[in-house]
Amino acid sequence: MFRLAGTARVLSLLLTCGFLFQHFTLAQLPPVREAAVNSIESRRQELIQLSNQIWKLAETSLLEVESSRLLAAYAEKQGFKVERGLADLPTSFVASYGQGSPVIAVIGEFDALPGLSQKISTQKEPLEAGKAGHGCGHNLFGTASLGAAIAVKDLIAAGKLKGTIRFYGTPAEEAYEGKVYMLRAGLFRDVDLCLGWHPRDQTKADTQSSKALVSLRVEFRGLSAHASRDPWDGKSALDGLELFTHGVNMLREHVKPSVRMHYVIRKGGEAPNVVPDEAMVELWIRDSTMEGVQLVLEKVKKIATGAGLMADVEAKLTVFSGVYNMLPSQTGAAMLFDTMKSLGPITYTEEEQTFARGIQKSAGVPEIGINGRLQPLETPIPDPPGASSDLGDVSWNVPTLHISVTTAPEGVPWHSWPVVACGGMSIGHKGMLFASKTLALGMVQLFEDAKLREKVRAEFAETMKGRTYKPYILDGPPPNVTLPH
Ligand SMILES: [Zn+2]
């Protein structure tokens, strides 16, 4: 015991020396902000361990039981009040500390993606074949955000900041839009401002929107019959489905370039000698705005009806979820840009650069290594390319500030094995700690500066003029987790 305690003391002394050295470049930071950075540095090893545990668990949407438990337990140990299993989502939780206003929230995700299990290697090599992996870096996402919340909590506890800090453990981002359920349950109602980040192959303060999305399924029902003996008695649900997808593919020529449509066939019959009586396709429609998505959706509904008529089968279209385009706070982005600048670029060792180039080589993209430099602040464009997130819905309800931080080398495909590999080693950890510090420092400024908060809220009020929000989820709890993802 004594030896251990002694070792811990030596370690903490060494760590302190490390901080002093690291903080040499941060000497210009005022003491409160320096304290926030110190909070994160003092938990560096714990945060890395936490993210590694979640990386190894690699639990998919709504099955992220252990990952959620680990983060919630850590928050509780740090003195947060934790409420679990909110909004019909067993793996959701909200950790809260402090009281009164302002109420500032930071978002954390922790779900993995199926089939992406990967070792820390520059080659595609599953850790466990067929298992899931953190191909979107959410092990880093949740941990960094919680680290930032804890740093702010330390300052509230020390009487240096006033108000409430909340960490939102938001499950099932990849498959079920967990945040939309949490919004519908009113869990964000009293939040003044919200912050988030996402792992990426670049470091930037986000000014661009994301795509709005609706997910729908079309179920076709016909009549089964022997495909050779009495096919005239059958009505093929698969014919209906094929006519539908053909119609969707013809529609591609007549939609705006900002539209994306992608589908998978979930059900298409069991055997060639049986006329399929059931078929199902799942289609996602995206555009820069929800209005754009709606326009395409109306056409897709007609295609489904037409396909059903042609194959003489029933066609039932159900929109089962959707997310809004992100409305990022420009005022917040400018503040977070300056914050990231003050932290300096993320730097990498030669060993990490070699790893990054190895990954790029295997992924077949230019071997330019990894770049942790801060990208210039971009002017928002109307139709940015990119993906969608349920954070978009949050941004329609609460002013949302967002950054992206490098956790994988430039050019590698996302939702893929290179992202998993980097997220379990020092490249990912560096991005995670940088994100954590940026979010903590950003929140400190927002807690301290009422005028800044007001400016962010005023911009939000202006953006929301003429816009109304209605969630695109079905009534009741989210879909059964046993459905294929
Ligand atoms: Zn993600």
Side-chain angles (χ1 to χ4, degrees), residues 109 136 138 141 173-174 198 414-415:
E109 295 171 7
C136 207
H138 292 183
F141 185 165
E173 189 275 332
E174 297 291 1
H198 203 286
W414 216 253
H415 282 198

Side-chain angles (χ1 to χ4, degrees), residues 175-177 181 214-218 266 280-284 317-322 471-475 477-479 483-484:
Y176 299 111
E177 280 77 78
Y181 291 89
V214 295
S215 328
L216 58 96
R217 69 174 80 93
V218 190
R266 293 270 187 222
M280 200 228 288
V281 58
E282 191 178 312
L283 172 76
W284 292 14
L317 184 147
T318 314
V319 173
F320 62 92
S321 74
Y472 274 79
I473 45 176
L474 298 176
D475 291 342
L483 276 175

Side-chain angles (χ1 to χ4, degrees), residues 197-212:
W197 78 287
H198 203 286
R200 262 188 85 166
D201 63 348
Q202 280 187 333
T203 298
K204 66 208 283 194
D206 290 313
T207 53
Q208 306 295 357
S209 184
S210 57
K211 286 201 183 292

Side-chain angles (χ1 to χ4, degrees), residues 345-360:
I346 309 172
T347 54
Y348 299 97
T349 61
E350 201 32 59
E351 215 179 349
E352 287 161 344
Q353 289 292 0
T354 307
F355 188 87
R357 284 193 294 270
I359 288 252
Q360 284 163 331

